[in-house]
Amino acid sequence: EKNRPPIGKIYNMSGMWIDVVLCLIAVGLLYLSAEALVGGSTRLAKALGVPALVVGLTVVAFGTSAPELVVSLLAASRDQIPISLGNIIGSNVANIGLIIGLVSLFRPMPANPALLRRDLPVLCGTMALYFALAYTGSIGRPQGALLFLGIIAYSTLLTRQAIRQANPKKIPAVVTGERSVAGNRFRDGALVVAGLGGLVLAGHLLVTSATGVARALGMSEWVIGVTLVALGTSIPEIATSFVAVFRGHPDIALGNAIGSNIFNVLLVQGVVSLYRPVPISSSLLLFEFPLMLGLSLFLFLMLRIRPRVGRWQGVLLLLAYLGFIWVKVLNPA
């Protein structure tokens, strides 16, 4: 009897494991919903005459960032700013350190000339702007509007260049999710609606269950947001990148990770800050923001020297991500 744990403790532990299971279910639903949204909207847009290349560069990029957008907005609406901000920052670090690092261990990833000329400078500029805005101590509505205008300008640039360079060749199926038989418009429209609904439901479930896990373990919402939630919302990027590399399109995996980081800052942080100002802790300016900017600059310089991410570069990126997780979990202050 003396060794029996208190009933309250048993209840808390059992509740925590329920939350862990709900987290896993939410992650799976996020992935399936993003797939439905991307696949349905892609086929629907092409059926309406939108060029395939434009669809691949806009709809797909938004689709893989949709989980971050939904989860961060829901967290902000529930006064859980640490989860909202941690999700954005953690996803950005994971996209470069984990996804690019891990995928390059399986197959080196070449950099498309357009990526070097356009997207990598945009990535570095976006991270530098994000750092500068955060340095003011808060990313409020004016800063959010500036970021949102940035994603409009970037998307416009992509669309115009895509139209100029459009050709009859189809984008690889790994990007668009295109099937050999044209989809029914009603079915694809239903997939879009279902995908959006699933993202909202999964985002709510992930935020709620992750918060429960944090409280049961005595961990801060920030740590849960920057690790568990960020990794969960990065599932679409992870899946897309690995499918791309195994189907012989490693350049797509690289572009996917870089594009997602741009969308996470300009779109996700922009929309969240328009909804609600986000205060920035001074401690983030000493580690997280310099790390995001440093990883982006390292990737840019590395690819300028040699336009491919090899295995040893992948090891360095992966070690950077593991070090980040180790610091945040063991030294979360």
Side-chain angles (χ1 to χ4, degrees):
E1 293 291 334
K2 292 182 180 180
N3 294 327
R4 179 179 298 174
I7 292 181
K9 186 174 182 179
I10 295 176
Y11 175 79
N12 288 338
M13 291 302 294
S14 63
M16 184 196 74
W17 285 112
I18 291 175
D19 284 329
V20 170
V21 172
L22 291 177
C23 276
L24 296 175
I25 293 174
V27 167
L29 184 56
L30 277 174
Y31 171 70
L32 294 175
S33 300
E35 283 288 299
L37 175 62
V38 171
S41 58
T42 297
R43 290 188 294 272
L44 184 61
K46 293 177 72 175
L48 296 174
V50 179
L53 189 57
V54 174
V55 173
L57 289 172
T58 54
V59 174
V60 175
F62 170 77
T64 56
S65 292
E68 284 89 347
L69 176 61
V70 171
V71 169
S72 291
L73 266 177
L74 284 172
S77 70
R78 298 176 56 178
D79 295 326
Q80 294 171 320
I81 297 299
I83 288 182
S84 177
L85 184 60
N87 176 40
I88 296 171
I89 293 176
S91 294
N92 284 353
V93 175
N95 282 339
I96 295 181
L98 177 63
I99 297 178
I100 295 180
L102 198 57
V103 171
S104 63
L105 295 182
F106 289 88
R107 181 174 298 180
M109 292 186 289
N112 186 286
L115 197 74
L116 294 172
R117 183 179 62 254
R118 179 192 61 209
D119 301 294
L120 273 172
V122 170
L123 172 67
C124 294
T126 297
M127 293 304 161
L129 175 62
Y130 196 24
F131 196 171
L133 295 179
Y135 206 78
T136 64
S138 175
I139 301 180
R141 291 186 175 91
Q143 295 93 331
L146 177 62
L147 293 174
F148 190 71
L149 288 174
I151 196 59
I152 293 177
Y154 179 63
S155 299
T156 301
L157 174 65
L158 287 178
T159 302
R160 286 181 176 177
Q161 291 188 358
I163 292 175
R164 284 200 302 266
Q165 300 170 5
N167 57 62
K169 295 182 179 180
K170 297 179 181 179
I171 295 177
V174 65
V175 178
T176 63
E178 181 186 17
R179 296 176 183 175
S180 57
V181 180
N184 178 273
R185 292 188 183 185
F186 178 79
R187 179 202 62 191
D188 292 331
L191 280 176
V192 172
V193 174
L196 289 171
L199 284 174
V200 174
L201 175 61
H204 175 76
L205 184 59
L206 182 59
V207 171
T208 302
S209 55
T211 303
V213 172
R215 290 172 177 168
L217 295 176
M219 300 173 70
S220 68
E221 291 182 350
W222 165 255
V223 174
I224 289 295
V226 83
T227 55
L228 178 62
V229 175
L231 189 59
T233 56
S234 294
I235 290 296
E237 287 94 337
I238 295 173
T240 300
S241 295
F242 270 99
V243 170
V245 76
F246 285 128
R247 290 188 181 180
H249 302 287
D251 54 325
I252 293 176
L254 184 60
N256 175 50
I258 292 173
S260 293
N261 273 16
I262 295 172
F263 269 69
N264 284 345
V265 173
L266 298 180
L267 175 64
V268 180
Q269 185 64 75
V271 171
V272 169
S273 295
L274 282 172
Y275 172 75
R276 182 170 188 170
V278 177
I280 305 295
S281 170
S282 59
S283 63
L284 302 183
L285 303 176
L286 300 176
F287 181 62
E288 282 85 351
F289 278 92
L291 178 62
M292 280 193 298
L293 179 58
L295 283 173
S296 301
L297 291 173
F298 174 74
L299 187 64
F300 175 75
L301 293 174
M302 179 176 62
L303 290 175
R304 291 294 294 182
I305 295 173
R306 188 183 184 190
R308 68 195 295 269
V309 182
R311 289 185 172 86
W312 73 267
Q313 294 99 329
V315 169
L316 292 178
L317 292 173
L318 190 56
L319 286 176
Y321 178 74
L322 294 177
F324 168 73
I325 294 298
W326 183 81
V327 169
K328 299 319 298 177
V329 171
L330 297 184
N331 185 29

